Structures are given as structure tokens and as C-alpha cells.
Amino acid sequence: LVGFFSLRSAWRQERLAREAWRQKRASVRQEAQLSSAAALAGGMQRVADSLCDVVLHLDADLRIRNDAAAHVYFFGRRVQGDKLQGKVSEADRGRVRRGFERAGK
């Protein structure tokens, strides 16, 4: 009887150890993916900064999230919190909207 309980306890400990190992492995994998995504985003930011006069960061509602001195120089005032649509000419709004729709797919 004691052997049965010790075997059951060992089996339970093994199961818990394997689950902890799986969770740690998944955590390490997610951390590597996040690090890779952050490095890619940083690289893209540097390329955009070097090629563009102004780089706007947008939230889900297409409002400008970031505030930079270049925005004041380019737009003549601070634009943080403004909707992007108000900064795009009427003639280009449809094209910009379609571009965001394609990018969101």
C-alpha cells in the first residue's frame, strides 16, 4: 500500500515538473518572439525616420499617438490626439482608407 502511494506521488510530481517545463519553454519562446518583433519594429522606425519627413504613430482609431518636434515643423502645430483623416487631403482620403484596409488583412 505504501508503494502504491509513493508511486502515485512520484507520478504526480513528474506530471507537475513536466507542466512547469512546458510553461517555461512557452515563456522563453514568447520572449524570443517579442524580442524579435521589437528589434524589427526598431529597425523599421530607423528606416522610416531616415526616409520620411514625418513619421506618425497611430492608435486603433487612427489618432496620432506620438508627439515630435518634426510634427510642429511640418504641420505648424502639435498634432498628438488628432485624427489622421483630418491631416489627409479630401482627394487622398479614399486611397489612404483602402491602404489601411489592405494592411489590416
Side-chain angles (χ1 to χ4, degrees), residues 44-56 70-71 74:
M44 292 174 68
Q45 179 68 43
R46 285 188 293 280
V47 169
D49 286 339
S50 67
L51 296 176
C52 303
D53 293 330
V54 176
V55 177
L56 301 173
H71 297 167
F74 190 83

Side-chain angles (χ1 to χ4, degrees), residues 20 48 83:
K83 283 198 142 246

Side-chain angles (χ1 to χ4, degrees), residues 37-97:
L40 177 62
M44 292 174 68
Q45 179 68 43
R46 285 188 293 280
V47 169
D49 286 339
S50 67
L51 296 176
C52 303
D53 293 330
V54 176
V55 177
L56 301 173
H57 296 227
L58 306 173
D59 64 14
D61 295 325
L62 300 181
R63 289 190 180 276
I64 300 169
R65 288 185 338 168
N66 61 332
D67 189 27
H71 297 167
V72 175
Y73 178 75
F74 190 83
F75 293 108
R77 66 180 189 83
R78 297 189 106 126
V79 294
Q80 185 176 16
D82 291 356
K83 283 198 142 246
L84 175 67
Q85 195 170 21
K87 305 297 172 222
V88 177
S89 70
E90 187 69 40
D92 290 331
R93 286 184 185 170
R95 185 171 55 90
V96 170
R97 182 183 44 78

Side-chain angles (χ1 to χ4, degrees), residues 15-33:
R15 191 183 72 208
L16 292 174
R18 285 179 184 262
E19 184 59 33
W21 178 81
R22 281 189 197 103
Q23 289 176 355
K24 173 107 171 126
R25 187 173 171 202
S27 174
V28 167
R29 196 176 302 136
Q30 287 176 342
E31 187 176 310
Q33 289 173 341

